[in-house]
């Protein structure tokens, strides 16, 4: 899929923008704080409905404005479709596909798929479990509407269950009520785990191959899923459910004591190993960057495998963070495969000979110059 047209109104420092990107490579260059990353953030938001920088929607509105508007025309294999997001400062957000209002998030997510790679993506390796779950869940939601639905339902159940557990600790509420939340927790959580296991099998293999090639065969990457209920990757949904119930029973007293849900996919983690050593603790900066790169390239192939189309790739000031070997591997890996947007402050980091076709765009205070 490719974006053939992008329109912005009152988004960040773009009061009004109409861009027809190149279907191959778009290089956005200019000084810092001119709007390069803002443009990529708008594309990310159009695809996922949220900021790539964890900002609130209100913070995305241009100064002295009361709303923002994003519209993109996405060319896919089977058709071309318009996506729109309108946000008002009162908190109202309107999502549209082909002019039709979408009332459910799973119906919107996936119409445009994106993969973002920025220096901040090292948090996948260096950060906490929440960041790794976020990375994994975003990859899956872009290829599975049912997974998006499950995540929404599961998150609400965990919130309600935690509220009950905390309230019971304070007022001795009836334990029978907990069974209602337990049944939903197990049902949604088991399906989430089953889908995660499926995607992780593919991701672990692809990332391992990518890492091995980038490291010239000198190091090996292994990825393990740390499951809080100790479910196994080859289990069926029913087997995971039975195991989940068992773990809930064993953790009941601890949950009553702490007033929170202690087991389930919201407590899980991904662990990365380089030649047997945990990369988060013992990996060098170069090794951690290589893992992040290997994961992002694996994510591209997973989306292609699940949907039949490559996503749009967003490279935000990442080339300057990579050495020549990793930079060359990244560019050659995506060349001629997918539409790419690259931001940089220095064109010296761009070896134009690697691109068969590209568009160079200078960004200056929210304005584009070709």
């Amino acid at each position: 899929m490719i974006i053939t047209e992008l329109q912005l109104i009152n988004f960040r420092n773009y009061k009004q923008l109409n861009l027809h990107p190149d279907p191959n490579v778009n290089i956005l260059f200019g000084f810092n704080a001119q709007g390069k990353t803002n443009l990529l953030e708008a594309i990310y938001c159009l695809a996922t409905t949220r900021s790539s920088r964890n900002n609130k929607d209100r913070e995305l509105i241009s100064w002295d404005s009361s709303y923002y508007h994003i519209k993109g025309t996405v060319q896919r294999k089977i058709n071309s479709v318009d996506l729109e997001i309108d946000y008002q400062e009162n908190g109202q957000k309107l999502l549209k596909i082909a002019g039709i209002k979408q009332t459910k998030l799973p119906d919107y997510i996936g119409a445009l798929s994106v993969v973002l790679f920025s220096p901040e993506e090292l948090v996948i390796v260096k950060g906490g479990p929440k960041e790794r779950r976020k990375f994994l869940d975003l990859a899956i939601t872009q290829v599975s509407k049912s997974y998006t639905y499950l995540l929404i339902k599961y998150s609400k159940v965990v919130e309600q269950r935690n509220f009950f557990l905390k309230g019971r600790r304070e007022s001795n509420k009836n334990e029978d009520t907990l069974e209602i939340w337990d049944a939903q927790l197990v049902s949604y959580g088991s399906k989430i785990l089953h889908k995660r296991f499926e995607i992780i099998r593919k991701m672990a293999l692809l990332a391992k191959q990518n890492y091995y090639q980038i490291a010239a065969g000198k190091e090996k990457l292994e990825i393990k899923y740390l499951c809080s209920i100790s479910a196994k990757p080859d289990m069926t949904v029913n087997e995971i459910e039975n195991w989940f119930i068992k773990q809930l029973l064993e953790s009941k007293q601890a949950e009553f004591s702490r007033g929170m849900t202690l087991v389930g996919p919201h407590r899980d983690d991904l662990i990365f190993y380089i030649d047997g050593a945990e990369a988060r603790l013992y990996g060098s900066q170069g090794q951690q960057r290589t893992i992040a790169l290997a994961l992002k390239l694996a994510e591209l192939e997973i989306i292609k495998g699940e949907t039949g189309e490559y996503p749009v790739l967003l490279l935000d000031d990442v080339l300057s963070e990579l050495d020549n070997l990793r930079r060359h591997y990244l560019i050659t890996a995506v060349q001629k495969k997918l539409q790419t947007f690259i931001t940089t402050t220095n064109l010296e980091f761009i070896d134009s000979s690697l691109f068969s076709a590209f568009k160079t765009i200078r960004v200056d205070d929210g304005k584009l110059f070709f």
Side-chain angles (χ1 to χ4, degrees), residues 319-320 322-332 349:
L319 297 185
S320 62
L322 301 175
D323 58 25
N324 290 334
L325 173 65
R326 294 174 177 84
R327 192 183 308 141
H328 187 271
Y329 185 87
L330 170 60
I331 297 302
T332 54
F349 293 118

Side-chain angles (χ1 to χ4, degrees), residues 93-113:
K93 181 185 284 187
L94 180 63
L95 308 176
K96 291 183 182 179
I97 298 180
I100 301 174
K101 180 180 178 181
Q102 305 297 305
T103 58
K104 297 180 180 179
L105 186 61
D107 293 336
Y108 181 90
I109 299 294
L112 168 64
S113 298

Side-chain angles (χ1 to χ4, degrees), residues 317 319-322 327 344-351:
D317 199 28
L319 297 185
S320 62
E321 298 291 322
L322 301 175
R327 192 183 308 141
T344 183
T345 56
N346 192 339
L347 288 175
E348 291 181 2
F349 293 118
I350 308 293
D351 184 356

Side-chain angles (χ1 to χ4, degrees), residues 52 116-133 135 211 269-270 272 274 279-281 283-296 299 316-318 320-323 326:
S52 54
L116 171 68
F117 188 25
S118 69
E120 289 73 26
E121 297 303 302
L122 275 180
V123 73
I124 298 173
V125 183
K126 299 172 63 175
K130 180 180 178 180
E131 301 300 332
R132 287 181 282 280
R133 289 193 300 268
F135 159 71
Y211 190 98
D269 198 0
L270 283 175
F272 308 109
I274 300 297
R280 183 179 67 87
L281 301 176
S284 67
Q285 189 88 337
Q287 288 173 322
Q288 292 173 346
R289 284 199 179 102
T290 303
I291 292 173
L293 174 56
L295 287 169
K296 289 296 177 176
E299 186 180 358
D316 189 16
D317 199 28
V318 72
S320 62
E321 298 291 322
L322 301 175
D323 58 25
R326 294 174 177 84

Side-chain angles (χ1 to χ4, degrees), residues 31-69:
F31 295 113
N32 289 323
Q34 300 304 304
K36 303 185 301 297
T37 296
N38 293 345
L39 187 55
L40 266 59
E41 184 178 28
I43 296 173
Y44 186 94
C45 187
L46 184 67
T48 67
T49 76
R50 62 189 185 187
S51 166
S52 54
R53 293 183 279 187
N54 295 321
N55 289 307
K56 298 178 180 179
D57 281 289
R58 185 183 299 272
E59 298 170 357
L60 307 182
I61 300 174
S62 295
W63 184 254
D64 289 336
S65 299
S66 60
Y67 75 98
Y68 72 72
H69 172 77

